[in-house]
Amino acid sequence: MEDCFIICPLGGAHSEIRKKSDKILRHVFQPVLDKNDYKAIRADQIPKVGLITTQIINLIMESPLVIADLTDSNPNVFYELAIRHAIRKPYIQVITKGQKIPFDLSGIRTIEIDITDLDNVELAKKEIENQILEFKKGHIPDSPISVASSARLLQNDSDLAEEIAERLSYVGQRHYSDYSYSDIQKVDLIERKLWGFREFGSISLEELNSKLDLIIENLNKK
């Protein structure tokens, strides 16, 4: 089994924060992770040998998957999540239903969880599994850091920016009925990335170029 490091608020051993995190781990994360051959690891489960902070950072950087619970805007959670964002490896964001997602993270898909609602728990488990399956297919997640890095490339490469603009213009000239369902999904993805351009100043250029190539190739066959 592969490791999945859980970033979450912990609090004291018998605190309400710990009890809530335990419930989410037991009833939401654990069943999905077991089903998909992942072993859940949380900071309080790390053997107290050596520097704990170093072990946590190593797990954040090396684990094939990370799940981050943004509930209650815990500063340690944001610090650890930022490390994961920087290395652009698979991560999943969750938050207690009804809580506000911080602005800088609002463009990233975040799963809402209400541990008191069994229907919501089942839906959250399904959404987590869907993201896991996307990662297994090779999907690389964006983050504010990766998007900002692409901004520098776009600003410094006017030829690439012009090429992307031309391709988007070509796609925009086609009637919506020209698209297959798969094409429509790719267009929706591009629209989400363009939202990232407006919010953070860029897009993931390599992935966007690849999606545009596939759409244009399919359109030219029609």
Side-chain angles (χ1 to χ4, degrees), residues 76-216:
N76 288 336
V77 169
F78 290 145
Y79 172 77
E80 294 169 12
L81 178 59
I83 297 173
R84 188 67 174 192
H85 280 178
I87 62 174
R88 207 178 176 197
K89 293 176 69 175
Y91 67 92
I92 296 171
Q93 293 181 180
V94 304
I95 194 169
T96 295
K97 187 174 183 179
Q99 291 197 8
K100 186 176 180 180
I101 301 171
F103 174 77
D104 287 346
L105 302 176
S106 60
I108 300 171
R109 187 170 18 169
T110 303
I111 299 168
E112 292 188 319
I113 299 175
D114 180 356
I115 199 67
T116 67
D117 182 339
L118 294 180
D119 289 336
N120 174 270
V121 167
E122 289 304 312
L123 178 61
K125 287 161 60 178
K126 183 62 178 175
E127 290 181 358
I128 290 170
E129 183 171 28
N130 286 343
Q131 290 199 35
I132 289 174
L133 294 177
E134 284 186 27
F135 295 140
K136 287 185 176 182
K137 292 176 183 177
H139 174 69
I140 300 174
D142 284 321
S143 74
I145 295 175
S146 67
V147 167
S149 298
S150 293
R152 292 195 299 272
L153 176 59
L154 186 60
Q155 291 163 359
N156 295 331
D157 192 337
S158 59
D159 290 339
L160 180 57
E162 183 177 352
E163 180 181 352
I164 290 174
E166 288 178 354
R167 294 184 183 193
L168 287 172
S169 176
Y170 176 83
V171 172
Q173 291 170 8
R174 303 299 293 255
H175 191 272
Y176 204 70
S177 61
D178 291 337
Y179 298 110
S180 67
Y181 177 73
S182 176
D183 288 337
I184 291 172
Q185 288 183 310
K186 295 185 179 73
V187 170
D188 288 341
L189 178 60
I190 290 170
E191 288 177 348
R192 291 202 302 272
K193 290 184 179 299
L194 290 178
W195 178 92
F197 178 84
R198 292 192 296 272
E199 293 295 327
F200 303 109
S202 188
I203 45 183
S204 177
L205 301 180
E206 297 84 358
E207 189 174 354
L208 177 55
N209 258 332
S210 175
K211 293 289 188 298
L212 287 169
D213 283 339
L214 288 173
I215 292 172
I216 292 171

